[in-house]
């Protein structure tokens, strides 16, 4: 039921007519931290997901328009994006991080496919096409994965040769990383598991499926299976903590767990399900979501009063509820609801 879904209330509290404030002290927006393209990109996807589930939600439509306007302002003449903006609306960098540029491309590709309004889709496509040449600049695995996710969405709606070429180039880079690192004991892209890990296999599965690259899809399933062995402990999802990560041959960090890991895992499992994977992927997606509601190492809920706390520490929950955390939780909840509503649609 749509009425059972978490609302956008905390996202709306963090947002104004410019964008979404990065951080909060408890549930109160910390305006001194300003805005960033990373979070606005996440917020655009969440607002569009909410519109798809609840078309009459005026807040979702209002916020989506604000976030699109922010990305328009953030884009540089070479197609890349600023990342950090002060609360006074001054850009604080010459160009954003690779990750922030990749996430902007991801959100715009998602909007090209799912904005639900022709003018927004055309606007997103204009920004997306401007960004296309900058994809060659992205040199880190996660930034490339984010761009692949955006390309996969855009290609599903607009199967252009330039999009296919960009997908094929990035897929080749990802497969080369696996070939240089992986063996039967460590089937991964790098010698360390760090943050947003499941986005890497998800990108292979979604983009490979979009262009019919079975080798990429197969490697996506194999790397996802390796990650599942690491982060599922019985019924619990136990993501890699950022207090030390997990280096090959070392010990994995078990705390400083971040909310973005659960939504990444759920999305990767749904991608596998959409690519004709077994029903067990849906069960694992639900277990990843349950991390937010208390199925975690401490047995405590991470969500409170419509927002999501910033992490799970060894001594409890980080009670601040910033944008990234709340958007991760909402994206996970909405993603599962959309999969239930439209089971045949590849997200």
């Amino acid at each position: 039921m749509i009425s059972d879904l978490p609302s956008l209330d905390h996202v709306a509290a963090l947002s104004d007519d410019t964008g979404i404030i990065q951080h909060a002290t408890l549930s109160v927006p910390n305006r001194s931290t300003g805005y960033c393209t990373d979070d606005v990109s996440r917020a655009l996807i969440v607002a569009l997901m909410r519109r798809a589930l609840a078309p009459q939600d005026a807040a979702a439509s209002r916020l989506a328009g604000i976030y699109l306007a922010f990305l328009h302002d953030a884009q540089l003449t070479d197609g890349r994006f600023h990342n950090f903006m002060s609360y006074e609306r001054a850009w604080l960098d010459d160009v954003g991080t690779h990750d922030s540029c990749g996430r902007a491309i991801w959100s715009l590709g998602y909007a090209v496919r799912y904005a639900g309004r022709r003018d927004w889709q055309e606007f997103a496509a204009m920004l997306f096409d401007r960004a296309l040449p900058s994809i060659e600049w992205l040199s880190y695995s996660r930034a490339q994965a984010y761009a692949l996710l955006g390309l996969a969405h855009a290609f599903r709606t607009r199967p252009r040769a330039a999009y296919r070429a960009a997908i094929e180039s990035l897929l080749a880079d990802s497969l080369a990383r696996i070939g240089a690192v992986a063996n039967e004991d460590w089937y991964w892209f790098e010698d360390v598991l760090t943050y947003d890990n499941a986005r890497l296999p998800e990108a292979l599965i979604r983009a490979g499926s979009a262009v019919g690259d079975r080798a990429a899809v197969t490697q996506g399933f194999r790397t996802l299976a390796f990650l599942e062995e690491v982060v599922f402990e019985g019924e619990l999802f136990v993501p890699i903590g950022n207090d030390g990560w997990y280096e090959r041959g070392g010990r994995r960090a078990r705390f400083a767990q971040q909310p973005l890991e659960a939504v990444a895992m759920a999305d990767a499992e749904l991608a596998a399900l959409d690519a004709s994977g077994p029903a067990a992927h849906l069960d694992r997606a639900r277990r990843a979501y349950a991390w937010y509601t208390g199925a975690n190492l401490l047995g405590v809920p991470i969500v409170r009063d419509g927002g999501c706390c910033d992490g799970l520490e060894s001594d409890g929950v980080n009670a601040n509820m910033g944008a990234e955390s709340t958007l991760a939780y909402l994206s996970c909840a909405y993603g599962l609801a959309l999969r239930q509503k439209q089971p045949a649609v590849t997200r």
Side-chain angles (χ1 to χ4, degrees), residues 96-181:
T97 62
H98 289 237
D99 277 10
S100 64
C101 291
R103 282 199 184 93
I105 292 167
W106 175 10
S107 69
L108 291 169
Y110 188 90
V112 168
R113 188 177 183 189
Y114 290 121
R117 279 179 46 171
R118 177 177 290 273
D119 59 331
W120 284 359
Q121 289 176 300
E122 292 176 353
F123 185 79
M126 177 182 71
L127 301 187
F128 186 88
D129 288 346
R130 287 179 185 170
L132 197 62
S134 73
I135 290 175
E136 295 182 3
W137 172 75
L138 302 175
S139 58
Y140 299 104
S141 58
R142 282 155 185 78
Q144 291 184 344
Y146 303 149
L148 270 172
L149 292 171
L151 283 160
H153 287 305
F155 185 79
R156 291 281 188 182
T157 299
R158 307 165 82 215
R160 298 188 171 185
Y163 297 175
R164 175 181 285 275
I167 289 172
E168 291 175 346
S169 176
L170 292 178
L171 286 177
D173 285 351
S174 292
L175 295 179
R177 285 191 177 94
I178 296 169
V181 169

Side-chain angles (χ1 to χ4, degrees), residues 36-38 70-71 73-76 79-85 91-97 100-101 104:
C36 68
T37 294
D38 271 327
F70 184 99
L71 292 176
D73 191 57
Q75 192 166 41
L76 299 161
R80 295 180 296 175
F81 297 82
H82 291 288
N83 189 22
F84 295 112
M85 175 186 272
W91 288 111
L92 302 176
D93 51 27
D94 293 326
V95 64
T97 62
S100 64
C101 291

